[in-house]
Amino acid sequence: MDLLVTGGAGYIGSIVVERAVARGHAVTVLDNLQEGHRGAVSAQAAFIEGDCGDAALLDMVLAAARCDAVIHLAAETTVDRSVSDPAIYFHNNAVNGLALLDAMRRHGVSRMIFSSTAATYGEPESVPMTEDHVQRPINAYGESKLMFERCLRWYHRAYGLRSVSFRYFNAAGATSSHGEAHRHESHLIPLLLDVAAGRRELVDVYGTDYPTPDGTCVRDFVHVVDIADAHLRALDSIDAMGIDFFNIGNGVGHTVRQVADAVRDVTGHAIPTRHCPRRRGDPAALVASFDRIRAKLDWAPAFPDLTAIVDTAWRWRLAHPDGYADDGA
Ligand SMILES: NC(=O)c1ccc[n+]([C@@H]2O[C@H](COP(=O)([O-])OP(=O)(O)OC[C@H]3O[C@@H](n4cnc5c(N)ncnc54)[C@H](O)[C@@H]3O)[C@@H](O)[C@H]2O)c1
């Protein structure tokens, strides 16, 4: 297929692109590089630096080349900031997303794979969480993604747009050529690896009195290659599906303490942590059920082992100590 991948210079997007070109898809990446890196885009993909809310640019891109499907990963992604500054989240994740959908309509592109999030669910009422769990987001990040999921439902009903929304849990790990190099890192595993790499003294652990095996929060870490492969499976079946929504998770949760221990074991470095009070809105446990995607797309995590996930991230970090060479970040 000819694919347009927004956010393809970012962490997950770069690996979606790596796997897509390896499968023989022709890929064009559209990324404004606000967070992504030029050097993260596979050499076999075309790259356009620009914003997915730029209607004129989208018209040019979609008029110039065939496009069978859009994989839409571009977004504001930091949960904490979405509470203090929701405007940029609604603008980028909802308004820019709509500009993209409308450009697709103008150019007759009728398939989208969308990066949604477990944050659309809010506080879990039951764990593991299934796709029919109530969606009541507790931050503007989750709300903005849910708004876009809802737009997709209406665009399917009215305009026949086919779409698959993936609600990722916590992406983690790397390939040998692509890994996680956020400029503003908030994810647990890269923060722990920073400590092992001597770039950070310790990691704050928020809450040690949760009703979990060791008192720290339980989260679901899924290998980024498994996430990428789900996208390729969805492309194969999207015409038959019409519209659908799937969790992508490991199905097994790990406590923050277990993750810190895995990083210690993989890297051989002590990982000092500091116990801090619970953060508002941090549930005790967030774990995905992946029954639906297993049944419909025959997907299950191929790399479910936490130590192996951390090991891939650490290997990438050792090979790329300064991240991507394009901007030293
Ligand atoms: N990382 C996770 O654990 C996780 C979990 C759930 C959902 N997600 C979703 O997956 C997607 C990718 O996440 P990531 O961790 O790779 O984030 P990322 O920040 O590394 O990637 C996002 C990319 O989008 C680009 N971008 C942002 N706004 C843009 C715009 N308006 N136009 C063009 N490019 C734009 C950024 O420059 C960046 O390269 C996001 O939609 C995110 O919400 C990620």
Side-chain angles (χ1 to χ4, degrees), residues 10-12 31-32 35-36 51-52 73 92 141 145 168 171 182:
Y11 167 45
I12 301 172
D31 197 302
N32 64 9
E35 182 59 63
D51 200 286
C52 67
L73 298 112
N92 200 3
Y141 169 63
K145 292 280 185 173
Y168 311 155
H182 289 121

Side-chain angles (χ1 to χ4, degrees), residues 6-13 30-37 50-53 72-77 92 96 115-118 141 145 168-171 180 182 187:
T6 73
Y11 167 45
I12 301 172
L30 175 66
D31 197 302
N32 64 9
L33 300 183
Q34 68 176 45
E35 182 59 63
H37 308 270
D51 200 286
C52 67
H72 181 39
L73 298 112
E76 304 295 329
T77 67
N92 200 3
N96 288 345
S115 299
S116 191
T117 167
Y141 169 63
K145 292 280 185 173
Y168 311 155
F169 280 63
N170 294 77
E180 192 163 10
H182 289 121
H187 294 145

Side-chain angles (χ1 to χ4, degrees), residues 205-229:
V205 174
Y206 297 98
T208 51
D209 56 351
Y210 284 101
T212 61
D214 59 27
T216 64
C217 289
V218 172
R219 294 292 179 268
D220 181 318
F221 295 88
V222 56
H223 200 289
V224 63
V225 165
D226 283 324
I227 294 180
D229 287 349

Side-chain angles (χ1 to χ4, degrees), residues 14 24 62 71 95 100-101 103 149 157 179 196 208 246 280 293:
S14 65
L62 294 176
I71 303 183
V95 176
L100 178 62
L101 287 185
E149 281 195 10
R157 188 185 289 189
T208 51
F246 298 104
R280 255 185 76 206
I293 185 170

